[in-house]
Amino acid sequence: MELSAVQMTLLSVLIAVVLFLPLTVHKVEENLEAFLFLCGAFAVTVSKAWSGHLVLTALEDPIKITAAVLVAGLLFRKFNKNIQRLTQKAVKALGLRTTLFLIVFILGITSSLITAIIAALILSEVAVMLPLERKGRIKLVVFSCFSIGMGAVLTSIGEPLGTVVLSKLSGAPHYADFFFLINHLGWYVLGGIVFMAGLASSIRENPIQKAPGPQAADTQDEHSVKSIIIRAAKVYLFVMALVFLGDGLKPLAMQTISHLSAGWLYWINTLSAVLDNATLAAIEVTPDISTRTLTFLLMSLIISGGMLIPGNIPNIICASKLGIKSKEWAKAAVGLGAAVMIAYFVILSAVL
């Protein structure tokens, strides 16, 4: 479908609104799911893309990730005390540095199955049980969130990014199934997870003799059944919104962004540092995208998504629960993220 000038203008303005309004209006940031749902519905309306199939897809696609969030949240509610005790025993038996390596590695590897949200919740609980001062704890959280963001993209239940990409590429010519992203990104993601785990094991910020344990702020009703259900419902609405947004913006993407080279997309996607990467993927991924371009696109999204707090769901969860300020996060993550972005760009350019 060829868009008119008016349609292209409206959709372009919508993209700017989606990118910047959550950063400048606190109410929008607090109600991001509803905001994106309205934007998605507006995009579909402007593009004249409403259909029964689209509505059915939007209702079905979020089911797997929502079910995973709900079930894992209930399990975590029951066993979180055991996880805390296990962490303390691990430090005594293995030493702090080995424990830090394993935390980052295991959360990164398993995040595609337990979801990025649950991995971040586990991380935020475990982090306060470790004998680290504040700077060391912030570094651990940053390294872990990079690792979780990388690992979670590999399946349709890890985070909305994987769900959106697999949904949009499920037909010709890619016919993406559950293992599609594992097959195409697995080794790159594994290398990134091991690298972040290695950085975590080298943390030297004056380990303290005894972990401070959970603070009063951590005793809030975060693990009640009500909170878990609300969190799952928000994830469902979030993914549904991105399905609508992706289909509504697809005609514009096919006339503009989809024609950019892999290199241009890679660096444009540093916007993921201030916007959830699934939103950008919903704009950029189209069925006719090449595997090479998709690899560049996704690796840039998941790396840059760790650089600032708004860039990824795990960042937001951990920063909120542990009281990490934006400047503290940026100090630990921006330089690292930029270096990793450059390294992967060189590697992908040479290999693909």
Side-chain angles (χ1 to χ4, degrees), residues 33-53:
E33 298 85 3
F35 168 73
L36 287 177
F37 181 85
L38 293 175
C39 290
F42 178 78
V44 175
T45 301
V46 171
S47 298
K48 300 180 180 179
W50 285 108
S51 69
H53 179 266

Side-chain angles (χ1 to χ4, degrees), residues 78-93 99 125-126 129-130 214:
K78 182 176 182 179
F79 296 111
N80 69 314
K81 296 295 183 183
N82 304 76
I83 295 172
Q84 292 175 357
R85 286 195 292 269
L86 180 62
T87 302
Q88 293 172 329
K89 290 180 180 180
V91 172
K92 291 181 180 179
T99 302
E125 292 292 332
V126 169
M129 304 306 298
L130 295 167

Side-chain angles (χ1 to χ4, degrees), residues 4-53:
S4 68
V6 173
Q7 288 175 304
M8 292 187 67
T9 300
L10 288 173
L11 292 177
S12 298
V13 171
L14 177 65
I15 291 174
V17 168
V18 170
L19 290 174
F20 297 111
L21 210 58
L23 305 178
T24 57
V25 179
H26 186 60
K27 286 293 184 181
V28 171
E29 183 183 3
E30 287 183 334
N31 300 281
L32 184 61
E33 298 85 3
F35 168 73
L36 287 177
F37 181 85
L38 293 175
C39 290
F42 178 78
V44 175
T45 301
V46 171
S47 298
K48 300 180 180 179
W50 285 108
S51 69
H53 179 266

Side-chain angles (χ1 to χ4, degrees), residues 239-250:
V239 177
M240 179 188 288
L242 293 177
V243 172
F244 283 140
L245 191 63
D247 268 66
L249 292 172
K250 181 165 62 176

Side-chain angles (χ1 to χ4, degrees), residues 263-286:
W264 277 106
L265 281 175
Y266 187 90
W267 294 111
I268 286 174
N269 282 339
T270 53
L271 285 171
S272 181
V274 293
L275 180 71
D276 184 78
N277 51 31
T279 303
L280 286 173
I283 295 171
E284 297 173 356
V285 175
T286 57

